[in-house]
Coordinates of all heavy atoms in Angstrom, one line a residue:
M1 N 37.5 14.6 -10.2 CA 38.0 13.5 -9.5 C 37.0 13.0 -8.5 O 36.9 11.8 -8.4 CB 39.3 14.0 -8.7 CG 40.5 14.0 -9.6 SD 40.9 12.4 -10.2 CE 42.4 12.6 -10.8
I2 N 36.4 13.8 -7.7 CA 35.4 13.4 -6.7 C 34.3 12.7 -7.4 O 33.8 11.6 -6.9 CB 34.9 14.5 -5.9 CG1 36.0 15.1 -5.0 CG2 33.8 14.1 -5.0 CD1 35.7 16.3 -4.2
D3 N 33.8 13.2 -8.5 CA 32.7 12.5 -9.2 C 33.2 11.2 -9.7 O 32.4 10.2 -9.6 CB 32.3 13.4 -10.4 CG 31.5 14.6 -10.0 OD1 30.9 14.6 -8.9 OD2 31.5 15.6 -10.8
D4 N 34.4 11.0 -10.2 CA 34.9 9.7 -10.6 C 34.9 8.8 -9.5 O 34.6 7.6 -9.6 CB 36.3 9.9 -11.3 CG 36.3 10.4 -12.7 OD1 35.1 10.7 -13.2 OD2 37.3 10.6 -13.3
H5 N 35.4 9.3 -8.3 CA 35.4 8.4 -7.1 C 34.0 7.9 -6.7 O 33.9 6.8 -6.4 CB 36.1 9.2 -6.0 CG 36.2 8.4 -4.7 ND1 37.0 7.4 -4.6 CD2 35.5 8.6 -3.5 CE1 36.9 6.9 -3.3 NE2 36.0 7.6 -2.7
C6 N 33.1 8.8 -6.8 CA 31.7 8.5 -6.4 C 31.1 7.5 -7.4 O 30.5 6.5 -7.1 CB 30.8 9.7 -6.4 SG 31.1 10.8 -5.0
L7 N 31.5 7.7 -8.7 CA 31.0 6.8 -9.7 C 31.6 5.4 -9.6 O 30.9 4.4 -9.7 CB 31.3 7.3 -11.1 CG 30.4 8.5 -11.6 CD1 31.0 9.1 -12.9 CD2 29.0 8.1 -11.7
R8 N 32.9 5.4 -9.2 CA 33.6 4.1 -9.0 C 33.0 3.3 -7.8 O 32.8 2.1 -7.8 CB 35.1 4.3 -8.8 CG 35.8 4.5 -10.1 CD 37.3 4.5 -10.0 NE 37.9 4.6 -11.3 CZ 38.2 5.8 -11.8 NH1 37.8 6.9 -11.2 NH2 38.8 5.9 -13.0
Q9 N 32.7 4.1 -6.7 CA 32.0 3.5 -5.6 C 30.6 2.9 -5.9 O 30.3 1.8 -5.5 CB 31.9 4.5 -4.4 CG 33.1 4.8 -3.7 CD 32.9 5.8 -2.6 OE1 32.1 6.7 -2.7 NE2 33.7 5.6 -1.5
E10 N 29.9 3.7 -6.7 CA 28.6 3.2 -7.1 C 28.7 1.9 -8.0 O 28.0 1.0 -7.8 CB 27.8 4.3 -7.9 CG 26.4 3.8 -8.2 CD 25.6 4.9 -8.9 OE1 26.0 6.1 -9.0 OE2 24.4 4.6 -9.3
A11 N 29.7 2.0 -8.9 CA 30.0 0.8 -9.7 C 30.3 -0.4 -8.9 O 29.8 -1.5 -9.2 CB 31.1 1.1 -10.8
D12 N 31.1 -0.2 -7.9 CA 31.5 -1.3 -7.0 C 30.2 -1.9 -6.3 O 30.1 -3.1 -6.1 CB 32.5 -0.9 -5.9 CG 33.9 -0.6 -6.6 OD1 34.1 -1.1 -7.7 OD2 34.7 0.0 -5.9
K13 N 29.4 -1.0 -5.8 CA 28.1 -1.4 -5.1 C 27.3 -2.2 -6.1 O 26.7 -3.2 -5.7 CB 27.4 -0.2 -4.6 CG 28.0 0.4 -3.4 CD 27.2 1.6 -2.9 CE 27.9 2.3 -1.8 NZ 27.2 3.5 -1.3
I14 N 27.2 -1.8 -7.3 CA 26.4 -2.4 -8.4 C 27.0 -3.8 -8.6 O 26.2 -4.8 -8.7 CB 26.3 -1.6 -9.6 CG1 25.4 -0.4 -9.4 CG2 25.7 -2.4 -10.8 CD1 25.4 0.6 -10.5
C15 N 28.3 -3.9 -8.7 CA 28.9 -5.2 -9.0 C 28.6 -6.2 -7.8 O 28.4 -7.4 -8.1 CB 30.4 -5.0 -9.2 SG 30.8 -4.3 -10.8
A16 N 28.7 -5.7 -6.6 CA 28.4 -6.5 -5.4 C 26.9 -7.0 -5.5 O 26.6 -8.2 -5.2 CB 28.7 -5.7 -4.1
E17 N 26.0 -6.1 -5.8 CA 24.6 -6.5 -5.9 C 24.4 -7.5 -7.1 O 23.6 -8.5 -6.9 CB 23.7 -5.3 -6.1 CG 22.2 -5.7 -6.0 CD 21.3 -4.5 -5.9 OE1 21.7 -3.3 -5.8 OE2 20.1 -4.8 -6.0
L18 N 25.1 -7.3 -8.2 CA 25.0 -8.3 -9.3 C 25.5 -9.7 -8.9 O 24.9 -10.7 -9.2 CB 25.8 -7.8 -10.5 CG 25.1 -6.7 -11.3 CD1 26.1 -6.0 -12.3 CD2 23.8 -7.1 -12.0
K19 N 26.6 -9.7 -8.1 CA 27.1 -10.9 -7.6 C 26.1 -11.6 -6.6 O 25.8 -12.8 -6.7 CB 28.4 -10.7 -6.8 CG 29.0 -12.0 -6.3 CD 30.4 -11.7 -5.6 CE 31.0 -13.0 -5.1 NZ 32.2 -12.8 -4.4
H20 N 25.4 -10.8 -5.8 CA 24.4 -11.3 -4.9 C 23.2 -11.9 -5.8 O 22.7 -13.0 -5.5 CB 23.9 -10.2 -4.0 CG 22.7 -10.6 -3.2 ND1 22.8 -11.5 -2.1 CD2 21.4 -10.3 -3.3 CE1 21.5 -11.7 -1.6 NE2 20.7 -11.0 -2.3
L21 N 22.8 -11.2 -6.8 CA 21.7 -11.7 -7.7 C 22.1 -13.0 -8.4 O 21.3 -13.8 -8.5 CB 21.4 -10.6 -8.7 CG 20.7 -9.3 -8.2 CD1 20.5 -8.4 -9.4 CD2 19.4 -9.7 -7.6
D22 N 23.4 -13.1 -8.7 CA 23.9 -14.4 -9.3 C 23.7 -15.5 -8.3 O 23.2 -16.6 -8.7 CB 25.3 -14.3 -9.7 CG 25.6 -13.6 -11.0 OD1 24.7 -13.4 -11.8 OD2 26.8 -13.1 -11.2
Q23 N 24.0 -15.3 -7.1 CA 23.9 -16.3 -6.0 C 22.4 -16.6 -5.8 O 22.0 -17.8 -5.7 CB 24.5 -15.8 -4.7 CG 26.0 -15.7 -4.8 CD 26.7 -15.0 -3.7 OE1 26.0 -14.3 -2.9 NE2 28.0 -15.2 -3.5
L24 N 21.6 -15.6 -5.7 CA 20.2 -15.8 -5.6 C 19.6 -16.6 -6.7 O 18.7 -17.5 -6.5 CB 19.5 -14.4 -5.4 CG 18.0 -14.5 -5.2 CD1 17.6 -15.2 -3.9 CD2 17.4 -13.0 -5.1
E25 N 20.0 -16.3 -7.9 CA 19.5 -17.0 -9.1 C 19.9 -18.5 -9.0 O 19.1 -19.3 -9.4 CB 20.0 -16.4 -10.4 CG 19.4 -17.0 -11.6 CD 19.9 -16.2 -12.9 OE1 20.3 -15.1 -12.8 OE2 19.8 -16.9 -13.9
D26 N 21.1 -18.8 -8.6 CA 21.5 -20.2 -8.4 C 20.6 -20.9 -7.5 O 20.2 -22.0 -7.7 CB 22.9 -20.2 -8.0 CG 23.9 -19.8 -9.0 OD1 23.6 -19.8 -10.2 OD2 25.1 -19.6 -8.7
V27 N 20.3 -20.3 -6.3 CA 19.4 -20.9 -5.3 C 18.0 -21.1 -5.9 O 17.4 -22.1 -5.7 CB 19.4 -20.0 -4.0 CG1 18.3 -20.5 -3.1 CG2 20.7 -20.0 -3.4
L28 N 17.5 -20.1 -6.6 CA 16.2 -20.2 -7.1 C 16.1 -21.2 -8.2 O 15.1 -22.0 -8.3 CB 15.7 -18.8 -7.7 CG 15.4 -17.7 -6.7 CD1 15.2 -16.4 -7.3 CD2 14.2 -18.1 -5.9
D29 N 17.1 -21.3 -9.1 CA 17.2 -22.4 -10.1 C 17.2 -23.8 -9.5 O 16.5 -24.7 -10.0 CB 18.4 -22.2 -11.0 CG 18.2 -21.1 -12.0 OD1 17.1 -20.8 -12.4 OD2 19.3 -20.6 -12.5
E30 N 18.0 -23.9 -8.4 CA 18.0 -25.2 -7.8 C 16.7 -25.6 -7.1 O 16.2 -26.7 -7.3 CB 19.1 -25.2 -6.7 CG 19.3 -26.5 -6.0 CD 20.4 -26.5 -5.0 OE1 21.4 -25.7 -5.2 OE2 20.4 -27.3 -4.1
A31 N 16.0 -24.6 -6.5 CA 14.7 -24.8 -5.9 C 13.7 -25.2 -7.0 O 12.9 -26.1 -6.8 CB 14.3 -23.6 -5.1
W32 N 13.8 -24.5 -8.1 CA 12.8 -24.7 -9.2 C 13.0 -26.2 -9.7 O 12.0 -26.9 -9.9 CB 13.1 -23.7 -10.3 CG 12.2 -23.9 -11.5 CD1 10.8 -23.8 -11.5 CD2 12.5 -24.3 -12.8 NE1 10.3 -24.0 -12.8 CE2 11.4 -24.3 -13.6 CE3 13.7 -24.5 -13.4 CZ2 11.4 -24.6 -14.9 CZ3 13.8 -24.9 -14.8 CH2 12.6 -24.9 -15.5
G33 N 14.2 -26.6 -9.8 CA 14.5 -28.0 -10.3 C 13.9 -29.0 -9.3 O 13.3 -30.0 -9.6
E34 N 14.1 -28.7 -8.0 CA 13.5 -29.6 -6.9 C 12.0 -29.6 -7.0 O 11.4 -30.7 -6.8 CB 14.1 -29.2 -5.6 CG 15.5 -29.5 -5.4 CD 16.1 -28.9 -4.1 OE1 15.3 -28.6 -3.1 OE2 17.3 -28.8 -4.0
F35 N 11.4 -28.5 -7.1 CA 9.9 -28.4 -7.2 C 9.4 -29.2 -8.4 O 8.5 -30.0 -8.3 CB 9.4 -27.0 -7.4 CG 9.6 -26.1 -6.1 CD1 9.9 -24.8 -6.3 CD2 9.5 -26.6 -4.9 CE1 10.1 -24.0 -5.2 CE2 9.6 -25.8 -3.7 CZ 9.9 -24.5 -3.9
E36 N 10.1 -29.1 -9.6 CA 9.7 -29.8 -10.8 C 9.8 -31.3 -10.6 O 9.0 -32.1 -11.0 CB 10.5 -29.4 -12.0 CG 10.2 -28.0 -12.5 CD 8.9 -27.9 -13.2 OE1 8.4 -28.9 -13.7 OE2 8.3 -26.8 -13.3
H37 N 10.9 -31.7 -9.9 CA 11.1 -33.1 -9.6 C 10.1 -33.7 -8.7 O 9.5 -34.7 -9.0 CB 12.5 -33.3 -9.0 CG 12.8 -34.7 -8.6 ND1 13.1 -35.7 -9.6 CD2 12.9 -35.3 -7.4 CE1 13.3 -36.9 -9.0 NE2 13.2 -36.7 -7.7
E38 N 9.8 -32.9 -7.7 CA 8.7 -33.3 -6.7 C 7.3 -33.4 -7.4 O 6.5 -34.3 -7.1 CB 8.7 -32.4 -5.5 CG 9.8 -32.6 -4.5 CD 9.8 -34.0 -4.0 OE1 8.8 -34.5 -3.5 OE2 10.9 -34.7 -3.9
L39 N 7.1 -32.5 -8.3 CA 5.9 -32.4 -9.1 C 5.7 -33.7 -9.9 O 4.7 -34.3 -10.0 CB 5.8 -31.2 -9.9 CG 4.4 -31.0 -10.7 CD1 3.3 -30.9 -9.7 CD2 4.5 -29.7 -11.5
R40 N 6.8 -34.1 -10.6 CA 6.8 -35.4 -11.3 C 6.5 -36.6 -10.4 O 5.7 -37.5 -10.8 CB 8.1 -35.6 -12.1 CG 8.2 -34.6 -13.3 CD 9.4 -35.0 -14.2 NE 10.7 -34.9 -13.5 CZ 11.4 -33.7 -13.4 NH1 10.9 -32.6 -13.9 NH2 12.5 -33.7 -12.7
R41 N 7.2 -36.6 -9.3 CA 7.0 -37.7 -8.3 C 5.5 -37.7 -7.8 O 4.9 -38.8 -7.7 CB 7.9 -37.5 -7.2 CG 9.4 -37.8 -7.5 CD 10.3 -37.7 -6.4 NE 10.0 -38.8 -5.4 CZ 10.3 -38.7 -4.1 NH1 10.9 -37.7 -3.6 NH2 10.0 -39.7 -3.4
A42 N 4.9 -36.5 -7.6 CA 3.6 -36.5 -7.1 C 2.6 -36.9 -8.2 O 1.6 -37.6 -8.0 CB 3.2 -35.0 -6.7
G43 N 2.9 -36.5 -9.5 CA 2.1 -37.0 -10.6 C 2.1 -38.5 -10.7 O 1.1 -39.1 -11.0
D44 N 3.3 -39.1 -10.5 CA 3.4 -40.5 -10.6 C 2.6 -41.2 -9.4 O 1.9 -42.2 -9.6 CB 4.9 -41.0 -10.5 CG 5.7 -40.6 -11.7 OD1 5.1 -40.3 -12.7 OD2 7.0 -40.6 -11.6
A45 N 2.7 -40.6 -8.2 CA 1.9 -41.1 -7.1 C 0.4 -41.0 -7.4 O -0.3 -41.9 -7.0 CB 2.3 -40.3 -5.8
L46 N 0.0 -39.9 -8.0 CA -1.4 -39.8 -8.3 C -1.9 -40.9 -9.3 O -2.9 -41.5 -9.1 CB -1.7 -38.4 -8.9 CG -3.2 -38.0 -9.1 CD1 -3.9 -38.1 -7.8 CD2 -3.3 -36.6 -9.7
V47 N -1.0 -41.2 -10.3 CA -1.3 -42.3 -11.2 C -1.4 -43.6 -10.5 O -2.4 -44.4 -10.7 CB -0.3 -42.4 -12.3 CG1 -0.5 -43.6 -13.1 CG2 -0.4 -41.1 -13.2
R48 N -0.5 -43.8 -9.5 CA -0.5 -45.1 -8.8 C -1.7 -45.2 -7.9 O -2.2 -46.2 -7.6 CB 0.8 -45.2 -7.9 CG 2.0 -45.6 -8.7 CD 3.2 -46.0 -7.8 NE 3.6 -44.9 -6.9 CZ 4.4 -43.9 -7.2 NH1 4.8 -43.8 -8.4 NH2 4.7 -43.0 -6.3
A49 N -2.2 -44.0 -7.4 CA -3.4 -44.0 -6.6 C -4.7 -44.1 -7.4 O -5.8 -43.9 -6.8 CB -3.4 -42.7 -5.7
G50 N -4.6 -44.3 -8.7 CA -5.8 -44.4 -9.5 C -6.4 -43.1 -10.0 O -7.5 -43.0 -10.4
G51 N -5.6 -42.0 -9.9 CA -6.0 -40.7 -10.3 C -6.8 -39.9 -9.3 O -7.3 -38.8 -9.6
C52 N -6.9 -40.4 -8.1 CA -7.7 -39.7 -7.1 C -7.1 -39.9 -5.7 O -7.1 -41.0 -5.2 CB -9.1 -40.2 -7.1 SG -10.2 -39.2 -6.0
S53 N -6.5 -38.8 -5.2 CA -5.9 -38.8 -3.9 C -5.9 -37.4 -3.4 O -5.1 -36.6 -3.9 CB -4.5 -39.5 -3.9 OG -3.9 -39.2 -2.6
W54 N -6.7 -37.1 -2.3 CA -6.7 -35.8 -1.8 C -5.4 -35.3 -1.4 O -5.0 -34.1 -1.8 CB -7.7 -35.7 -0.7 CG -7.8 -34.3 -0.1 CD1 -8.6 -33.3 -0.6 CD2 -7.0 -33.7 0.9 NE1 -8.4 -32.1 0.1 CE2 -7.4 -32.4 1.1 CE3 -6.0 -34.2 1.8 CZ2 -6.8 -31.5 2.1 CZ3 -5.5 -33.4 2.7 CH2 -5.9 -32.0 2.8
G55 N -4.6 -36.1 -0.7 CA -3.3 -35.7 -0.3 C -2.3 -35.4 -1.4 O -1.6 -34.4 -1.4
V56 N -2.3 -36.3 -2.4 CA -1.4 -36.1 -3.5 C -1.9 -34.9 -4.4 O -1.1 -34.1 -4.8 CB -1.3 -37.3 -4.4 CG1 -0.5 -37.1 -5.6 CG2 -0.8 -38.5 -3.6
E57 N -3.2 -34.8 -4.6 CA -3.7 -33.6 -5.3 C -3.4 -32.3 -4.6 O -3.0 -31.3 -5.3 CB -5.2 -33.7 -5.5 CG -5.6 -34.9 -6.5 CD -7.1 -35.1 -6.5 OE1 -7.9 -34.3 -6.0 OE2 -7.4 -36.2 -7.1
N58 N -3.4 -32.3 -3.3 CA -3.1 -31.1 -2.5 C -1.6 -30.8 -2.7 O -1.2 -29.6 -2.8 CB -3.5 -31.3 -1.1 CG -3.4 -30.0 -0.3 OD1 -3.9 -29.0 -0.8 ND2 -2.8 -30.0 0.9
R59 N -0.8 -31.8 -2.6 CA 0.7 -31.6 -2.8 C 1.0 -31.1 -4.2 O 1.8 -30.2 -4.3 CB 1.4 -33.0 -2.6 CG 2.9 -32.9 -2.8 CD 3.5 -32.2 -1.6 NE 5.0 -32.2 -1.8 CZ 5.8 -31.2 -1.5 NH1 5.2 -30.1 -1.0 NH2 7.0 -31.2 -1.7
I60 N 0.3 -31.6 -5.2 CA 0.5 -31.0 -6.6 C 0.1 -29.6 -6.6 O 0.9 -28.8 -7.2 CB -0.3 -31.9 -7.6 CG1 0.4 -33.3 -7.8 CG2 -0.4 -31.2 -8.9 CD1 -0.5 -34.2 -8.6
K61 N -1.0 -29.2 -6.0 CA -1.4 -27.8 -6.0 C -0.3 -26.9 -5.3 O 0.0 -25.9 -5.8 CB -2.7 -27.7 -5.3 CG -3.3 -26.3 -5.2 CD -4.7 -26.3 -4.5 CE -5.2 -24.9 -4.4 NZ -6.5 -24.8 -3.7
E62 N 0.2 -27.4 -4.1 CA 1.2 -26.7 -3.4 C 2.5 -26.5 -4.3 O 3.0 -25.4 -4.3 CB 1.6 -27.4 -2.1 CG 0.5 -27.4 -1.1 CD 0.9 -28.2 0.1 OE1 2.0 -28.9 0.1 OE2 0.2 -28.2 1.1
L63 N 2.9 -27.6 -4.9 CA 4.1 -27.5 -5.8 C 3.9 -26.6 -6.9 O 4.8 -25.8 -7.3 CB 4.5 -28.9 -6.3 CG 5.0 -29.8 -5.2 CD1 5.0 -31.3 -5.7 CD2 6.4 -29.4 -4.8
K64 N 2.7 -26.6 -7.5 CA 2.5 -25.6 -8.7 C 2.5 -24.2 -8.2 O 3.0 -23.3 -8.8 CB 1.1 -26.0 -9.3 CG 1.2 -27.2 -10.2 CD -0.1 -27.5 -10.9 CE 0.0 -28.7 -11.8 NZ -1.2 -29.0 -12.5
G65 N 2.0 -24.0 -7.0 CA 2.1 -22.6 -6.4 C 3.5 -22.2 -6.1 O 3.9 -21.1 -6.4
N66 N 4.3 -23.1 -5.6 CA 5.7 -22.9 -5.3 C 6.5 -22.6 -6.6 O 7.3 -21.7 -6.6 CB 6.4 -24.0 -4.6 CG 5.9 -24.2 -3.1 OD1 5.4 -23.2 -2.5 ND2 6.1 -25.3 -2.6
I67 N 6.2 -23.3 -7.6 CA 6.8 -23.1 -8.9 C 6.4 -21.7 -9.5 O 7.3 -21.0 -10.0 CB 6.4 -24.2 -9.9 CG1 7.1 -25.5 -9.5 CG2 6.8 -23.8 -11.4 CD1 6.6 -26.8 -10.2
A68 N 5.2 -21.3 -9.3 CA 4.8 -20.0 -9.8 C 5.5 -18.9 -9.0 O 5.9 -17.9 -9.6 CB 3.2 -19.8 -9.7
L69 N 5.6 -19.0 -7.7 CA 6.3 -18.0 -6.9 C 7.8 -18.0 -7.2 O 8.4 -16.9 -7.3 CB 6.1 -18.3 -5.4 CG 4.7 -18.1 -4.8 CD1 4.7 -18.6 -3.4 CD2 4.4 -16.6 -4.9
N70 N 8.3 -19.2 -7.5 CA 9.7 -19.2 -7.8 C 10.0 -18.5 -9.2 O 10.9 -17.8 -9.3 CB 10.1 -20.7 -7.9 CG 11.6 -20.9 -8.2 OD1 12.0 -20.9 -9.4 ND2 12.4 -21.1 -7.2
R71 N 9.1 -18.8 -10.1 CA 9.2 -18.1 -11.5 C 9.1 -16.6 -11.3 O 9.9 -15.9 -12.0 CB 8.1 -18.7 -12.4 CG 8.1 -18.2 -13.8 CD 9.2 -18.9 -14.6 NE 10.3 -17.9 -14.9 CZ 11.5 -18.3 -15.2 NH1 11.8 -19.5 -15.3 NH2 12.4 -17.4 -15.4
K72 N 8.2 -16.2 -10.5 CA 8.0 -14.7 -10.2 C 9.3 -14.1 -9.7 O 9.8 -13.1 -10.1 CB 6.9 -14.5 -9.3 CG 6.6 -13.0 -9.0 CD 5.5 -12.9 -8.0 CE 5.4 -11.4 -7.6 NZ 4.7 -11.2 -6.3
D73 N 9.9 -14.8 -8.7 CA 11.2 -14.4 -8.1 C 12.3 -14.3 -9.1 O 13.1 -13.4 -9.2 CB 11.6 -15.3 -6.9 CG 10.7 -15.1 -5.7 OD1 9.9 -14.1 -5.6 OD2 10.8 -15.9 -4.8
L74 N 12.4 -15.3 -10.0 CA 13.4 -15.4 -11.0 C 13.2 -14.2 -12.0 O 14.1 -13.6 -12.4 CB 13.4 -16.7 -11.8 CG 14.1 -17.9 -11.1 CD1 13.7 -19.2 -11.7 CD2 15.6 -17.6 -11.1
D75 N 11.9 -13.9 -12.4 CA 11.6 -12.8 -13.3 C 12.0 -11.5 -12.7 O 12.6 -10.6 -13.3 CB 10.1 -12.8 -13.7 CG 9.8 -14.0 -14.6 OD1 10.7 -14.6 -15.1 OD2 8.6 -14.2 -14.7
E76 N 11.7 -11.3 -11.4 CA 12.0 -10.1 -10.7 C 13.6 -9.9 -10.6 O 14.1 -8.8 -10.7 CB 11.4 -10.0 -9.3 CG 9.9 -9.8 -9.3 CD 9.3 -10.0 -7.9 OE1 10.0 -10.2 -6.9 OE2 8.0 -9.8 -7.9
N77 N 14.2 -11.0 -10.3 CA 15.7 -11.0 -10.3 C 16.3 -10.6 -11.6 O 17.2 -9.8 -11.6 CB 16.2 -12.5 -9.9 CG 17.6 -12.5 -9.5 OD1 18.0 -11.9 -8.5 ND2 18.4 -13.2 -10.3
E78 N 15.7 -11.1 -12.7 CA 16.2 -10.8 -14.0 C 16.0 -9.3 -14.3 O 16.8 -8.6 -14.9 CB 15.6 -11.7 -15.1 CG 16.0 -11.4 -16.5 CD 17.5 -11.5 -16.8 OE1 18.1 -12.3 -16.1 OE2 18.0 -10.8 -17.7
K79 N 14.8 -8.8 -14.0 CA 14.5 -7.4 -14.2 C 15.5 -6.5 -13.4 O 16.0 -5.5 -14.0 CB 13.1 -7.1 -13.7 CG 12.6 -5.7 -14.0 CD 11.2 -5.5 -13.5 CE 10.8 -4.0 -13.7 NZ 9.5 -3.7 -13.1
R80 N 15.7 -6.8 -12.2 CA 16.7 -6.1 -11.4 C 18.1 -6.1 -12.0 O 18.8 -5.1 -12.0 CB 16.7 -6.6 -9.9 CG 17.6 -5.9 -9.0 CD 17.2 -4.5 -8.8 NE 18.1 -3.8 -7.8 CZ 18.4 -2.5 -7.8 NH1 17.7 -1.7 -8.7 NH2 19.2 -2.0 -7.0
R81 N 18.5 -7.3 -12.5 CA 19.8 -7.5 -13.1 C 19.9 -6.5 -14.3 O 20.9 -5.9 -14.5 CB 20.0 -8.9 -13.5 CG 21.2 -9.1 -14.4 CD 21.4 -10.5 -14.9 NE 21.3 -11.5 -13.9 CZ 22.3 -11.7 -13.0 NH1 23.3 -11.0 -13.0 NH2 22.1 -12.7 -12.1
Q82 N 18.9 -6.5 -15.1 CA 18.9 -5.7 -16.3 C 19.0 -4.2 -15.9 O 19.8 -3.4 -16.6 CB 17.7 -5.9 -17.2 CG 17.7 -7.2 -17.9 CD 16.4 -7.5 -18.6 OE1 15.5 -6.8 -18.6 NE2 16.3 -8.7 -19.3
E83 N 18.3 -3.8 -14.9 CA 18.4 -2.4 -14.4 C 19.8 -2.1 -14.0 O 20.4 -1.0 -14.3 CB 17.4 -2.2 -13.3 CG 16.0 -2.2 -13.7 CD 15.0 -2.2 -12.5 OE1 15.5 -2.2 -11.3 OE2 13.8 -2.2 -12.7
L84 N 20.4 -3.0 -13.2 CA 21.7 -2.7 -12.6 C 22.8 -2.7 -13.8 O 23.7 -1.9 -13.7 CB 22.1 -3.8 -11.6 CG 21.3 -3.7 -10.3 CD1 21.6 -4.9 -9.4 CD2 21.7 -2.4 -9.5
E85 N 22.6 -3.7 -14.7 CA 23.6 -3.7 -15.8 C 23.5 -2.4 -16.6 O 24.6 -1.9 -17.1 CB 23.4 -4.9 -16.7 CG 23.8 -6.2 -15.9 CD 23.5 -7.5 -16.7 OE1 22.6 -7.4 -17.6 OE2 24.0 -8.5 -16.3
A86 N 22.4 -1.9 -16.8 CA 22.2 -0.6 -17.6 C 22.9 0.5 -16.8 O 23.6 1.4 -17.4 CB 20.7 -0.3 -17.8
R87 N 22.6 0.6 -15.5 CA 23.3 1.6 -14.7 C 24.8 1.5 -14.7 O 25.5 2.5 -14.8 CB 22.8 1.5 -13.2 CG 21.5 2.2 -13.0 CD 21.0 2.1 -11.6 NE 21.9 2.5 -10.6 CZ 21.8 2.1 -9.3 NH1 20.8 1.3 -8.9 NH2 22.8 2.4 -8.4
L88 N 25.3 0.3 -14.6 CA 26.7 0.0 -14.6 C 27.3 0.4 -16.0 O 28.4 1.1 -16.0 CB 27.0 -1.4 -14.3 CG 28.5 -1.8 -14.2 CD1 29.2 -1.0 -13.1 CD2 28.6 -3.3 -13.9
K89 N 26.6 0.1 -17.1 CA 27.1 0.5 -18.4 C 27.2 2.0 -18.5 O 28.2 2.6 -19.0 CB 26.2 -0.1 -19.5 CG 26.7 0.2 -20.9 CD 25.7 -0.5 -21.9 CE 26.2 -0.1 -23.3 NZ 25.3 -0.8 -24.3
N90 N 26.2 2.7 -18.0 CA 26.1 4.2 -18.0 C 27.3 4.7 -17.2 O 28.0 5.7 -17.7 CB 24.8 4.6 -17.4 CG 24.6 6.1 -17.6 OD1 25.5 6.9 -17.8 ND2 23.4 6.5 -17.4
I91 N 27.6 4.2 -16.1 CA 28.7 4.6 -15.2 C 30.0 4.4 -16.0 O 30.9 5.3 -16.0 CB 28.7 3.9 -13.9 CG1 27.6 4.4 -13.0 CG2 30.0 4.2 -13.2 CD1 27.3 3.6 -11.8
E92 N 30.2 3.2 -16.6 CA 31.4 2.9 -17.3 C 31.6 3.9 -18.5 O 32.8 4.3 -18.7 CB 31.4 1.5 -17.8 CG 31.5 0.5 -16.6 CD 31.3 -1.0 -17.0 OE1 30.7 -1.2 -18.1 OE2 31.6 -1.9 -16.3
Q93 N 30.6 4.3 -19.1 CA 30.7 5.2 -20.2 C 31.1 6.6 -19.7 O 31.9 7.3 -20.3 CB 29.4 5.3 -21.0 CG 29.0 4.1 -21.8 CD 27.6 4.2 -22.4 OE1 26.8 5.0 -22.0 NE2 27.4 3.4 -23.4
K94 N 30.6 7.0 -18.5 CA 31.0 8.3 -18.0 C 32.5 8.3 -17.5 O 33.1 9.3 -17.6 CB 30.1 8.6 -16.8 CG 28.7 9.0 -17.2 CD 27.8 9.3 -15.9 CE 26.4 9.6 -16.4 NZ 25.5 9.9 -15.2
L95 N 32.9 7.1 -17.1 CA 34.3 7.0 -16.6 C 35.3 6.9 -17.7 O 36.5 7.2 -17.5 CB 34.5 5.8 -15.6 CG 33.8 6.0 -14.3 CD1 33.8 4.7 -13.5 CD2 34.4 7.1 -13.5
S96 N 34.9 6.5 -18.9 CA 35.9 6.4 -20.0 C 36.1 7.6 -20.8 O 35.5 8.6 -20.6 CB 35.4 5.2 -20.9 OG 34.2 5.5 -21.4

């Protein structure tokens, strides 16, 4: 009984963390979309500037860096999700 109780508590904590990861993923997805949109706008601005603008080129570099960091965070989020889902499945099997 005590073990079942502890397992249920752990399962509840995992579910809460999975919910948090869902929210984080939504924020990261939204930010990624905004970065991509800004990158397209900066690309258009660079074309309008004749292909050479230090300010626009710097902005493009920053946006590409932000996109890379965002992608890394999304990948880490997915890895953590998979770990938690595996733990939760294991707990559910023990409880059944």
Side-chain angles (χ1 to χ4, degrees):
M1 278 300 190
I2 294 174
D3 287 335
D4 283 358
H5 179 70
C6 289
L7 287 173
R8 284 189 176 85
Q9 284 183 327
E10 185 176 354
D12 289 344
K13 288 178 184 177
I14 290 170
C15 288
E17 189 171 348
L18 285 169
K19 183 178 179 181
H20 173 74
L21 289 176
D22 283 341
Q23 294 168 341
L24 181 59
E25 186 175 340
D26 289 344
V27 170
L28 290 169
D29 280 338
E30 185 176 330
W32 181 63
E34 290 175 16
F35 292 144
E36 288 288 336
H37 177 72
E38 286 298 314
L39 184 60
R40 286 189 297 276
R41 291 182 66 204
D44 292 344
L46 188 59
V47 169
R48 285 191 303 276
C52 185
S53 169
W54 180 86
V56 176
E57 290 171 12
N58 193 45
R59 179 69 178 144
I60 289 171
K61 182 179 177 182
E62 289 174 356
L63 288 165
K64 286 181 178 181
N66 288 342
I67 290 169
L69 289 173
N70 182 276
R71 182 79 250 160
K72 180 182 175 205
D73 288 345
L74 281 167
D75 290 344
E76 289 173 0
N77 192 65
E78 179 59 27
K79 181 180 176 185
R80 180 67 177 151
R81 171 186 306 289
Q82 289 174 359
E83 292 169 357
L84 290 171
E85 287 173 346
R87 279 180 45 204
L88 185 58
K89 183 178 180 180
N90 188 342
I91 290 170
E92 290 170 346
Q93 288 174 345
K94 289 178 182 179
L95 289 172
S96 57

